[in-house]
Amino acid sequence: MKIYIDVLVITNAVITLIYIWCISKITHDDLPLKREIAAAAIGGIGSLLAAAQSNSFFTALLITLCKPAIVALIILTAFHPKKLLSFFKRILLYLMCELLMGGACYALVSVTKSPILCIKNYTVYFDISLLDIAICCGCVYLIITLFEAIQRRHAAYQKRYHARYKLGGFELSVPAIADTGNRLCDSFTGAPIVIFRSDKLYSQYNLSQPEQLAFYGFHPVPFETINGMGLIYVTSKGSITISSKDESKTAACCLGVMERGGGSEYAIFNPSILD
């Protein structure tokens, strides 16, 4: 089988990109496009490992060590994990994607009864059309997406969250909603924002009076929803603890305060802050 370097690099870059999308679905990571492209490029370039020749034990060992190093570099580039546990979790998910992709490829070979697959130095080369590769990758993506949807549906029934904000002697606890759609981040610190819809907080810090914002450490941050655009008042002061029946964590985040606008008081947070 002839291996064309351009096909090898491009297909592995695409596969790497789909792996990253699958992992971000599970971990609720919001990845900038430039990091996705950079990680995919590393995956594509890393596929050139297939050209290496292992004529001795040490050469084979070096090739073997290069593969996990490439995977680790992809994870670091795409996700920028802040904790060692988060780093290894994403590596494990990447390897799971590799296993699922390998299973899909094996099934494809079994069905077609043709030698369309070449594996060398932990790198896969497909002697098939890009359409077939896209179908295989799409199957992996659908499986991961279905698993994540089932997991979220189960968690929605099992977990009830509360968010507690504390600053000095002031403390407020409200029901909380885990929502991956809350991707709002503070423009100054870059930290995610937990949104409290609370008239009590709004009046506590006189947020209806713009001249009081700086005194209490608040600043406006623009946001956009399907209902339109607006401003939310944000501060990095104080601490926010997200708790459920079986876990409790003081999150590295900022407080965003909005008026309640009817109904009960509640908080909205992105579940990724619990990782």
Side-chain angles (χ1 to χ4, degrees):
M1 177 187 294
K2 290 183 179 180
I3 296 179
Y4 297 92
I5 292 179
D6 56 344
V7 176
L8 177 70
V9 172
I10 291 173
T11 54
N12 278 274
V14 171
I15 292 170
T16 300
L17 185 59
I18 292 178
Y19 287 174
I20 292 170
W21 287 343
C22 291
I23 295 170
S24 65
K25 276 280 188 178
I26 296 174
T27 59
H28 310 292
D29 289 310
D30 185 18
L31 303 181
L33 179 60
K34 61 180 181 181
R35 293 204 330 234
E36 291 180 347
I37 294 174
I42 292 172
I45 295 172
S47 68
L48 295 177
L49 195 65
Q53 300 295 328
S54 56
N55 299 319
S56 66
F57 169 78
F58 292 105
T59 305
L61 178 61
L62 180 61
I63 292 172
T64 302
L65 293 176
C66 282
K67 182 59 179 181
I70 291 170
V71 173
L73 185 58
I74 290 171
I75 295 300
L76 287 172
T77 302
F79 296 96
H80 290 182
K82 297 179 181 179
K83 296 182 180 179
L84 191 61
L85 182 61
S86 298
F87 174 59
F88 284 114
K89 175 183 176 181
R90 284 153 181 78
I91 286 181
L92 179 61
L93 290 171
Y94 191 97
L95 296 177
M96 287 178 61
C97 288
E98 291 268 31
L99 289 174
L100 289 172
M101 184 63 180
C105 291
Y106 179 78
L108 185 62
V109 171
S110 300
V111 170
T112 60
K113 304 296 183 180
S114 61
I116 58 175
L117 188 64
C118 174
I119 300 177
K120 182 181 179 183
N121 296 340
Y122 312 101
T123 302
V124 177
Y125 178 81
F126 302 94
D127 191 19
I128 57 178
S129 69
L130 289 176
L131 177 60
D132 291 333
I133 294 174
I135 292 173
C136 289
C137 294
C139 289
V140 175
Y141 181 78
L142 288 175
I143 291 171
I144 296 291
T145 302
L146 180 62
F147 170 78
E148 189 257 356
I150 294 173
Q151 186 182 51
R152 285 181 59 192
R153 189 179 184 89
H154 177 74
Y157 286 112
Q158 297 296 323
K159 290 193 175 182
R160 296 179 181 273
Y161 292 99
H162 273 80
R164 185 179 75 250
Y165 176 71
K166 185 175 183 180
L167 177 60
F170 177 79
E171 183 175 327
L172 175 67
S173 181
V174 297
I177 301 170
D179 181 12
T180 56
N182 177 16
R183 299 181 177 181
L184 192 61
C185 292
D186 181 26
S187 53
F188 289 93
T189 64
I193 296 173
V194 176
I195 301 171
F196 275 68
R197 286 188 173 272
S198 169
D199 289 342
K200 186 174 181 180
L201 268 176
Y202 201 85
S203 60
Q204 171 72 18
Y205 297 111
N206 296 326
L207 297 181
S208 59
Q209 303 179 29
E211 65 276 7
Q212 295 290 326
L213 294 181
F215 179 78
Y216 290 112
F218 283 86
H219 55 272
V221 172
F223 70 93
E224 184 176 356
T225 68
I226 57 175
N227 296 321
M229 303 174 62
L231 292 174
I232 185 171
Y233 300 112
V234 176
T235 181
S236 58
K237 292 184 177 181
S239 64
I240 297 176
T241 302
I242 307 294
S243 59
S244 63
K245 183 178 179 180
D246 54 357
E247 66 178 327
S248 179
K249 180 176 180 179
T250 299
C253 60
C254 291
L255 166 73
V257 181
M258 300 177 66
E259 290 183 287
R260 184 174 57 183
S264 303
E265 295 187 327
Y266 62 92
I268 306 172
F269 69 97
N270 192 314
S272 64
I273 68 174
L274 298 179
D275 292 343

